């Protein structure tokens, strides 16, 4: 889901979307990882884990943007099956002065407004 808006334009980012937090007090911890580079020893997400979610995009020699929040993995009881959800523990504010709302859809503007509510 984090990469979908970029994929629509044939873009991607060359780093993982997230990693564990608080297991060993390292920078990029496990045991889990949200990355297209799946490792054999990566366990699946489980309720009770803490993970970063940090999508970004870098245009070489031009600019870069990265959003990093920490989330708690929680069992989703209101859906059928064994579903999980990410519950935000931190929400780092967007620098709204840098957002060109003229190129955003009404849904994207609503998302930014809700994020900051």
């Amino acid at each position: 889901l984090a990469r979908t808006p970029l994929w629509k334009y044939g873009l991607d980012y060359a780093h993982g979307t997230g990693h564990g937090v608080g297991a060993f007090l390292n920078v990029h911890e496990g045991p889990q990882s949200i990355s297209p580079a799946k490792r054999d020893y990566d366990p699946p997400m489980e309720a009770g884990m803490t993970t970063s979610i940090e999508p970004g995009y870098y245009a070489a020699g031009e600019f870069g943007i990265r959003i990093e929040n920490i989330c708690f993995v929680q069992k989703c009881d209101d859906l059928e099956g064994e579903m999980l959800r990410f519950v935000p523990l931190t929400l780092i504010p967007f620098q709204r002065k840098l957002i060109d709302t003229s190129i955003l859809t009404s849904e994207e503007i609503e998302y930014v407004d809700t994020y900051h509510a």
Side-chain angles (χ1 to χ4, degrees), residues 2-87:
R3 295 172 191 266
T4 302
L6 291 171
W7 288 345
K8 286 196 276 188
Y9 298 97
L11 304 171
D12 202 353
Y13 50 91
H15 59 82
T17 302
H19 54 79
V21 176
F24 303 105
L25 300 178
N26 290 315
V27 175
H28 292 105
E29 301 187 353
Q32 76 279 17
S33 175
I34 305 170
S35 175
K38 185 73 175 143
R39 301 171 298 199
D40 290 337
Y41 54 88
D42 284 340
M45 286 287 173
E46 296 179 13
M49 288 180 164
T50 303
T51 189
S52 70
I53 299 188
E54 47 186 284
Y57 179 73
Y58 304 92
E62 295 183 48
F63 65 88
I65 183 171
R66 191 163 184 160
I67 300 167
E68 183 167 348
N69 288 310
I70 306 300
C71 293
F72 180 72
V73 181
Q74 183 180 67
K75 185 176 179 205
C76 186
D77 292 323
D78 52 338
L79 295 173
E80 289 186 34
E82 295 184 29
M83 302 296 286
L84 300 171
R85 72 171 126 230
F86 296 116
V87 179

